[in-house]
Amino acid sequence: MSEDHYFSAQPASADERRLITVSLAGRDVEVETAAGIFSPGHVDLGTQVLLRHLPPAPSGEVLDLGCGWGPLALTAALRTADARVTAVDVNRRSLDLTARNAERLGVAGQVAALEPDDVPANLQFDAIWSNPPIRIGKEALHTLLATWLPRLAPGGEAWLVVQRNLGADSLARWIADQGWGEVTKVASAKGFRVLRLIRTAG
Ligand SMILES: C[S@@+](CC[C@H](N)C(=O)[O-])C[C@H]1O[C@@H](n2cnc3c(N)ncnc32)[C@H](O)[C@@H]1O
């Protein structure tokens, strides 16, 4: 599988859009996807595992870090009108799809799909939901997490899903060592671990 979607702002593959039916927030919905983005044919298995363990109704400011076509951002907005969701990705096709899917599902007013640099610098998050881009490599991943996890408000929670054989346990240890808060391995299923960070440090 080509993984240029992980690294390129503009994927090389043809931007042919298609509709797929997926289950999000307990209902079947149609969303738009395209080649050149992560998991264009279905809700990724790791994302499904994460969705099963997330708190039911986030409120306040929610960040979907690495949004793809938007399954996490859309779920947050569909679950509660109290969530204001910022969805970031480096892949512009993913951002366009997330914005269009939010429109399609009637939650455009709750979802802002933004390039990372366009997120207001003073915005803090009550929740961060992410199936992070592990394959960008350890150093880049650490830099990414060090950019966003400290932006959790005190008491805020980051929920991450990571494949066990791609270093979930060492990532959990690394996050715990940063002093941002308390890390728990909340669940383990289908080869994935769900990690939760509760922000305690300022
Ligand atoms: C594992 S995919 C998850 C996509 C989507 N959340 C899902 O569950 O289907 C990780 C995403 O992170 C994006 N990404 C890679 N590097 C990034 C970065 N530096 N900042 C934000 N997103 C990034 C990739 O383009 C990809 O869409």
Side-chain angles (χ1 to χ4, degrees):
M1 183 181 73
S2 160
E3 288 181 346
D4 83 323
H5 59 268
Y6 260 86
F7 309 104
S8 60
Q10 276 155 329
S13 50
D15 192 357
E16 283 163 14
R17 305 294 172 106
R18 65 175 164 131
L19 293 176
I20 60 170
T21 302
V22 293
S23 175
L24 293 180
R27 48 177 143 137
D28 288 343
V29 294
E30 267 196 340
V31 293
E32 200 176 306
T33 72
I37 68 159
F38 179 79
S39 195
H42 57 275
V43 179
D44 170 68
L45 185 58
T47 303
Q48 288 181 38
V49 169
L50 178 59
L51 284 169
R52 250 176 256 132
H53 290 92
L54 285 167
S59 62
E61 298 290 343
V62 180
L63 173 70
D64 176 354
L65 176 57
C67 60
W69 56 259
L72 294 171
L74 297 168
T75 297
L78 289 169
R79 282 187 182 174
T80 166
D82 292 335
R84 287 178 307 280
V85 186
T86 301
V88 299
D89 207 294
V90 288
N91 179 316
R92 294 202 191 113
R93 192 176 295 173
S94 292
L95 291 175
D96 182 57
L97 287 164
T98 295
R100 289 172 67 91
N101 286 330
E103 186 85 49
R104 174 180 287 277
L105 301 185
V107 291
Q110 286 173 259
V111 178
L114 299 175
E115 295 196 30
D117 286 348
D118 292 339
V119 178
N122 59 354
L123 186 57
Q124 286 199 313
F125 299 99
D126 301 294
I128 297 177
W129 291 1
S130 184
N131 179 349
I134 297 296
R135 291 177 196 276
I136 60 178
K138 190 158 100 175
E139 206 173 310
L141 179 68
H142 288 178
T143 302
L144 180 69
L145 296 178
T147 302
W148 294 101
L149 295 184
R151 293 181 66 170
L152 275 174
E157 297 186 0
W159 289 75
L160 311 176
V161 66
V162 182
Q163 221 168 304
R164 262 200 315 255
N165 65 9
L166 292 182
D169 290 344
S170 64
L171 185 66
R173 277 193 300 277
W174 179 82
I175 295 171
D177 286 346
Q178 303 313 302
W180 298 323
E182 182 194 321
V183 181
T184 310
K185 291 176 203 164
V186 174
S188 204
K190 301 187 176 179
F192 293 88
R193 280 217 200 284
V194 175
L195 309 178
R196 183 189 60 203
L197 165 71
I198 301 179
R199 181 85 163 119
T200 50

Short mmCIF file of all heavy atoms in Angstrom, two decimals, residues 81-121:
data_model
loop_
_atom_site.label_atom_id
_atom_site.label_comp_id
_atom_site.label_asym_id
_atom_site.label_seq_id
_atom_site.Cartn_x
_atom_site.Cartn_y
_atom_site.Cartn_z
N ALA A 81 -23.98 17.89 20.50
CA ALA A 81 -23.93 19.24 19.94
C ALA A 81 -23.03 20.14 20.79
O ALA A 81 -22.70 21.25 20.37
CB ALA A 81 -25.33 19.83 19.87
N ASP A 82 -22.61 19.65 21.97
CA ASP A 82 -21.76 20.47 22.85
C ASP A 82 -20.29 20.42 22.46
O ASP A 82 -19.48 21.12 23.07
CB ASP A 82 -21.87 19.99 24.30
CG ASP A 82 -23.26 20.28 24.86
OD1 ASP A 82 -23.89 21.21 24.35
OD2 ASP A 82 -23.67 19.56 25.77
N ALA A 83 -19.95 19.55 21.50
CA ALA A 83 -18.54 19.44 21.12
C ALA A 83 -18.22 20.39 19.98
O ALA A 83 -18.95 20.45 18.98
CB ALA A 83 -18.23 18.00 20.69
N ARG A 84 -17.14 21.14 20.15
CA ARG A 84 -16.60 21.94 19.04
C ARG A 84 -15.30 21.26 18.63
O ARG A 84 -14.38 21.13 19.45
CB ARG A 84 -16.33 23.38 19.47
CG ARG A 84 -17.60 24.20 19.64
CD ARG A 84 -17.26 25.61 20.12
NE ARG A 84 -16.42 25.61 21.32
CZ ARG A 84 -16.89 25.42 22.55
NH1 ARG A 84 -18.18 25.24 22.75
NH2 ARG A 84 -16.07 25.42 23.58
N VAL A 85 -15.25 20.81 17.40
CA VAL A 85 -14.17 19.92 16.99
C VAL A 85 -13.20 20.61 16.03
O VAL A 85 -13.62 21.20 15.03
CB VAL A 85 -14.75 18.66 16.29
CG1 VAL A 85 -13.62 17.67 15.99
CG2 VAL A 85 -15.82 18.01 17.14
N THR A 86 -11.92 20.50 16.37
CA THR A 86 -10.86 20.93 15.44
C THR A 86 -10.24 19.67 14.88
O THR A 86 -9.77 18.81 15.65
CB THR A 86 -9.78 21.75 16.19
OG1 THR A 86 -10.41 22.89 16.79
CG2 THR A 86 -8.71 22.22 15.23
N ALA A 87 -10.26 19.52 13.57
CA ALA A 87 -9.70 18.34 12.92
C ALA A 87 -8.47 18.79 12.14
O ALA A 87 -8.58 19.66 11.27
CB ALA A 87 -10.72 17.71 11.99
N VAL A 88 -7.31 18.23 12.47
CA VAL A 88 -6.10 18.64 11.75
C VAL A 88 -5.50 17.46 10.99
O VAL A 88 -5.62 16.31 11.40
CB VAL A 88 -5.01 19.24 12.69
CG1 VAL A 88 -5.51 20.48 13.39
CG2 VAL A 88 -4.48 18.22 13.67
N ASP A 89 -4.87 17.79 9.89
CA ASP A 89 -4.13 16.80 9.12
C ASP A 89 -3.15 17.58 8.24
O ASP A 89 -3.37 18.76 7.96
CB ASP A 89 -5.07 15.96 8.24
CG ASP A 89 -4.50 14.57 7.96
OD1 ASP A 89 -3.46 14.46 7.27
OD2 ASP A 89 -5.09 13.57 8.43
N VAL A 90 -2.08 16.89 7.83
CA VAL A 90 -1.16 17.54 6.88
C VAL A 90 -1.59 17.27 5.44
O VAL A 90 -1.09 17.90 4.52
CB VAL A 90 0.29 17.04 7.06
CG1 VAL A 90 0.89 17.60 8.34
CG2 VAL A 90 0.38 15.52 7.04
N ASN A 91 -2.51 16.34 5.25
CA ASN A 91 -2.96 15.94 3.93
C ASN A 91 -4.20 16.77 3.56
O ASN A 91 -5.25 16.65 4.19
CB ASN A 91 -3.27 14.43 3.98
CG ASN A 91 -3.78 13.86 2.68
OD1 ASN A 91 -4.61 14.46 2.02
ND2 ASN A 91 -3.28 12.69 2.33
N ARG A 92 -4.05 17.64 2.56
CA ARG A 92 -5.14 18.58 2.26
C ARG A 92 -6.39 17.87 1.74
O ARG A 92 -7.50 18.33 1.94
CB ARG A 92 -4.68 19.61 1.24
CG ARG A 92 -3.61 20.49 1.82
CD ARG A 92 -3.47 21.82 1.11
NE ARG A 92 -2.25 22.42 1.59
CZ ARG A 92 -1.17 22.62 0.85
NH1 ARG A 92 -1.16 22.33 -0.43
NH2 ARG A 92 -0.09 23.15 1.38
N ARG A 93 -6.19 16.76 1.06
CA ARG A 93 -7.35 16.01 0.58
C ARG A 93 -8.16 15.50 1.77
O ARG A 93 -9.38 15.51 1.77
CB ARG A 93 -6.89 14.85 -0.32
CG ARG A 93 -8.00 14.21 -1.10
CD ARG A 93 -7.46 13.14 -2.05
NE ARG A 93 -6.60 13.71 -3.08
CZ ARG A 93 -5.90 12.98 -3.96
NH1 ARG A 93 -5.96 11.65 -3.91
NH2 ARG A 93 -5.15 13.55 -4.88
N SER A 94 -7.45 15.04 2.80
CA SER A 94 -8.14 14.59 4.02
C SER A 94 -8.93 15.74 4.65
O SER A 94 -10.08 15.55 5.07
CB SER A 94 -7.12 14.07 5.04
OG SER A 94 -6.53 12.88 4.59
N LEU A 95 -8.32 16.91 4.70
CA LEU A 95 -9.02 18.05 5.32
C LEU A 95 -10.27 18.41 4.53
O LEU A 95 -11.33 18.68 5.10
CB LEU A 95 -8.08 19.26 5.39
CG LEU A 95 -6.93 19.15 6.38
CD1 LEU A 95 -6.02 20.37 6.27
CD2 LEU A 95 -7.44 18.99 7.81
N ASP A 96 -10.15 18.40 3.19
CA ASP A 96 -11.31 18.71 2.36
C ASP A 96 -12.42 17.68 2.58
O ASP A 96 -13.60 18.04 2.72
CB ASP A 96 -10.87 18.73 0.88
CG ASP A 96 -12.03 19.10 -0.02
OD1 ASP A 96 -12.62 20.18 0.19
OD2 ASP A 96 -12.37 18.31 -0.93
N LEU A 97 -12.03 16.41 2.67
CA LEU A 97 -13.04 15.36 2.87
C LEU A 97 -13.70 15.50 4.24
O LEU A 97 -14.92 15.35 4.38
CB LEU A 97 -12.40 13.98 2.72
CG LEU A 97 -12.05 13.61 1.28
CD1 LEU A 97 -11.08 12.43 1.23
CD2 LEU A 97 -13.32 13.26 0.49
N THR A 98 -12.91 15.78 5.26
CA THR A 98 -13.50 15.95 6.60
C THR A 98 -14.50 17.11 6.60
O THR A 98 -15.61 16.98 7.14
CB THR A 98 -12.39 16.18 7.65
OG1 THR A 98 -11.59 15.00 7.73
CG2 THR A 98 -12.97 16.47 9.02
N ALA A 99 -14.12 18.21 5.97
CA ALA A 99 -15.04 19.37 5.92
C ALA A 99 -16.31 19.02 5.14
O ALA A 99 -17.42 19.34 5.56
CB ALA A 99 -14.33 20.56 5.28
N ARG A 100 -16.14 18.33 4.03
CA ARG A 100 -17.32 17.97 3.22
C ARG A 100 -18.20 16.95 3.94
O ARG A 100 -19.43 16.99 3.86
CB ARG A 100 -16.88 17.42 1.86
CG ARG A 100 -16.29 18.50 0.96
CD ARG A 100 -15.68 17.89 -0.28
NE ARG A 100 -16.68 17.28 -1.15
CZ ARG A 100 -17.28 17.92 -2.14
NH1 ARG A 100 -17.00 19.17 -2.38
NH2 ARG A 100 -18.17 17.30 -2.88
N ASN A 101 -17.57 16.04 4.66
CA ASN A 101 -18.36 15.05 5.40
C ASN A 101 -19.12 15.70 6.56
O ASN A 101 -20.25 15.32 6.86
CB ASN A 101 -17.45 13.92 5.89
CG ASN A 101 -17.03 13.00 4.75
OD1 ASN A 101 -17.79 12.85 3.77
ND2 ASN A 101 -15.86 12.40 4.84
N ALA A 102 -18.49 16.68 7.18
CA ALA A 102 -19.19 17.40 8.26
C ALA A 102 -20.43 18.10 7.67
O ALA A 102 -21.51 18.09 8.28
CB ALA A 102 -18.25 18.40 8.92
N GLU A 103 -20.27 18.68 6.51
CA GLU A 103 -21.38 19.36 5.82
C GLU A 103 -22.48 18.32 5.50
O GLU A 103 -23.66 18.52 5.81
CB GLU A 103 -20.83 19.96 4.53
CG GLU A 103 -21.78 20.81 3.73
CD GLU A 103 -21.79 22.23 4.25
OE1 GLU A 103 -20.71 22.79 4.42
OE2 GLU A 103 -22.90 22.74 4.46
N ARG A 104 -22.07 17.23 4.92
CA ARG A 104 -22.99 16.17 4.51
C ARG A 104 -23.81 15.65 5.70
O ARG A 104 -24.98 15.33 5.57
CB ARG A 104 -22.16 15.04 3.89
CG ARG A 104 -22.88 13.78 3.51
CD ARG A 104 -21.90 12.78 2.91
NE ARG A 104 -21.50 13.19 1.57
CZ ARG A 104 -22.21 12.95 0.47
NH1 ARG A 104 -23.35 12.28 0.55
NH2 ARG A 104 -21.79 13.36 -0.69
N LEU A 105 -23.17 15.57 6.88
CA LEU A 105 -23.84 15.01 8.06
C LEU A 105 -24.48 16.08 8.94
O LEU A 105 -24.95 15.79 10.03
CB LEU A 105 -22.84 14.17 8.88
CG LEU A 105 -22.19 13.00 8.12
CD1 LEU A 105 -21.33 12.16 9.05
CD2 LEU A 105 -23.24 12.11 7.47
N GLY A 106 -24.45 17.31 8.47
CA GLY A 106 -25.16 18.37 9.18
C GLY A 106 -24.46 18.89 10.42
O GLY A 106 -25.08 19.49 11.30
N VAL A 107 -23.14 18.67 10.50
CA VAL A 107 -22.41 19.15 11.68
C VAL A 107 -21.28 20.12 11.30
O VAL A 107 -20.33 20.31 12.06
CB VAL A 107 -21.84 17.97 12.53
CG1 VAL A 107 -22.97 17.19 13.18
CG2 VAL A 107 -20.96 17.05 11.69
N ALA A 108 -21.42 20.76 10.15
CA ALA A 108 -20.35 21.66 9.69
C ALA A 108 -20.10 22.78 10.69
O ALA A 108 -18.96 23.24 10.85
CB ALA A 108 -20.70 22.23 8.32
N GLY A 109 -21.16 23.21 11.37
CA GLY A 109 -21.00 24.30 12.33
C GLY A 109 -20.15 23.92 13.53
O GLY A 109 -19.66 24.78 14.26
N GLN A 110 -19.97 22.62 13.75
CA GLN A 110 -19.19 22.15 14.90
C GLN A 110 -17.78 21.73 14.55
O GLN A 110 -16.98 21.45 15.45
CB GLN A 110 -19.86 20.92 15.52
CG GLN A 110 -21.11 21.17 16.30
CD GLN A 110 -21.73 19.83 16.69
OE1 GLN A 110 -22.67 19.38 16.06
NE2 GLN A 110 -21.18 19.20 17.72
N VAL A 111 -17.47 21.59 13.25
CA VAL A 111 -16.19 20.98 12.87
C VAL A 111 -15.37 21.96 12.02
O VAL A 111 -15.84 22.42 10.98
CB VAL A 111 -16.41 19.68 12.06
CG1 VAL A 111 -15.06 19.09 11.62
CG2 VAL A 111 -17.18 18.65 12.88
N ALA A 112 -14.15 22.26 12.47
CA ALA A 112 -13.22 23.07 11.68
C ALA A 112 -12.08 22.16 11.25
O ALA A 112 -11.37 21.60 12.10
CB ALA A 112 -12.68 24.23 12.50
N ALA A 113 -11.93 21.95 9.94
CA ALA A 113 -10.85 21.10 9.42
C ALA A 113 -9.70 22.02 8.99
O ALA A 113 -9.84 22.80 8.05
CB ALA A 113 -11.35 20.28 8.25
N LEU A 114 -8.59 21.93 9.71
CA LEU A 114 -7.53 22.93 9.56
C LEU A 114 -6.15 22.30 9.39
O LEU A 114 -5.87 21.23 9.96
CB LEU A 114 -7.46 23.82 10.82
CG LEU A 114 -8.69 24.63 11.19
CD1 LEU A 114 -8.46 25.33 12.52
CD2 LEU A 114 -9.00 25.65 10.09
N GLU A 115 -5.30 23.00 8.65
CA GLU A 115 -3.90 22.61 8.65
C GLU A 115 -3.34 22.93 10.04
O GLU A 115 -3.77 23.92 10.68
CB GLU A 115 -3.15 23.38 7.57
CG GLU A 115 -3.66 22.98 6.21
CD GLU A 115 -2.76 23.39 5.07
OE1 GLU A 115 -1.54 23.46 5.29
OE2 GLU A 115 -3.29 23.64 3.99
N PRO A 116 -2.38 22.13 10.51
CA PRO A 116 -1.90 22.33 11.88
C PRO A 116 -1.52 23.78 12.21
O PRO A 116 -1.85 24.29 13.28
CB PRO A 116 -0.70 21.38 11.96
CG PRO A 116 -1.03 20.29 10.98
CD PRO A 116 -1.77 20.95 9.85
N ASP A 117 -0.86 24.45 11.26
CA ASP A 117 -0.40 25.81 11.55
C ASP A 117 -1.54 26.81 11.64
O ASP A 117 -1.33 27.95 12.09
CB ASP A 117 0.58 26.29 10.46
CG ASP A 117 1.92 25.61 10.60
OD1 ASP A 117 2.16 24.97 11.64
OD2 ASP A 117 2.73 25.71 9.65
N ASP A 118 -2.73 26.44 11.19
CA ASP A 118 -3.87 27.37 11.19
C ASP A 118 -4.72 27.28 12.46
O ASP A 118 -5.70 28.01 12.61
CB ASP A 118 -4.75 27.12 9.96
CG ASP A 118 -4.03 27.53 8.68
OD1 ASP A 118 -3.07 28.33 8.77
OD2 ASP A 118 -4.41 27.02 7.61
N VAL A 119 -4.36 26.37 13.36
CA VAL A 119 -5.10 26.27 14.62
C VAL A 119 -4.66 27.42 15.52
O VAL A 119 -3.45 27.62 15.73
CB VAL A 119 -4.81 24.91 15.31
CG1 VAL A 119 -5.54 24.82 16.65
CG2 VAL A 119 -5.22 23.76 14.40
N PRO A 120 -5.61 28.20 16.04
CA PRO A 120 -5.22 29.33 16.90
C PRO A 120 -4.29 28.87 18.03
O PRO A 120 -4.56 27.87 18.70
CB PRO A 120 -6.56 29.83 17.46
CG PRO A 120 -7.58 29.39 16.46
CD PRO A 120 -7.06 28.10 15.87
N ALA A 121 -3.20 29.62 18.19
CA ALA A 121 -2.15 29.18 19.11
C ALA A 121 -2.62 29.11 20.55
O ALA A 121 -2.09 28.34 21.35
CB ALA A 121 -0.95 30.13 18.99
#
